[in-house]
Amino acid sequence: MLQDDAKREANKRTVLAFYEAGLRQKDYATASKLLGDRYVQHNPLIADGHAGFEAFLAFLKEKFPNLRADVKHVFAEGDFVIAHVHGVREPGQRGSAIVDIFKLEDGKIVEHWDVMQPIPEESANPNGMF
């Protein structure tokens, strides 16, 4: 049980480091060290593999240099890490609520899914999205 807990915590640290290097710093060289030899992408706008991720970061760096991805919650179970993220492309925008799902093997990210929902101007409740 302790070994499973340690693995889950290590996987969460890997994903958080990936957000920092990749999405906050847009540093492919550092972020790519956290990817496995194979990297399967389920977002239809991003190509598979290291080259696909590198192209995605180059796009973000050019089009949205001020992009922020603030992880609000992170959960791990087995080889999966789920992050609940507030993504903002430009300062002053409301941004999107994002759920990213990562699969890890041997401590490296090998697969990614995401679901995004724009944060509306008005809400039917006072709860917020995070």
Side-chain angles (χ1 to χ4, degrees):
M1 200 67 173
L2 290 176
Q3 184 178 20
D4 290 342
D5 290 343
K7 179 180 176 182
R8 283 192 294 270
E9 290 305 312
N11 284 348
K12 287 196 288 190
R13 285 191 302 274
T14 295
V15 166
L16 291 173
F18 185 72
Y19 276 104
E20 181 60 35
L23 295 172
R24 289 190 182 141
Q25 303 300 319
K26 294 161 200 69
D27 176 358
Y28 172 75
T30 301
S32 68
K33 294 175 186 172
L34 302 169
L35 297 176
D37 291 337
R38 69 180 184 90
Y39 179 60
V40 178
Q41 178 60 255
H42 295 276
N43 180 319
L45 302 176
I46 305 170
D48 281 338
H50 284 245
F53 181 67
E54 184 174 23
F56 174 65
L57 285 188
F59 166 79
L60 291 180
K61 199 173 204 175
E62 179 185 339
K63 299 290 186 186
F64 303 105
N66 298 315
L67 179 136
R68 295 285 305 158
D70 295 320
V71 178
K72 301 297 187 177
H73 306 99
V74 62
F75 311 92
E77 183 61 40
D79 293 327
F80 292 90
V81 175
I82 301 167
H84 188 204
V85 180
H86 183 196
V88 177
R89 287 184 168 183
E90 295 292 338
Q93 293 180 344
R94 286 185 299 281
S96 296
I98 302 166
V99 175
D100 280 309
I101 304 169
F102 299 92
K103 182 177 181 186
L104 289 86
E105 290 176 358
D106 300 320
K108 302 281 187 168
I109 297 169
V110 297
E111 207 159 350
H112 170 257
W113 299 258
D114 58 12
V115 179
M116 297 180 222
Q117 179 181 11
I119 297 173
E121 188 172 329
E122 295 181 23
S123 176
N125 62 64
N127 304 321
M129 297 186 73
F130 303 101

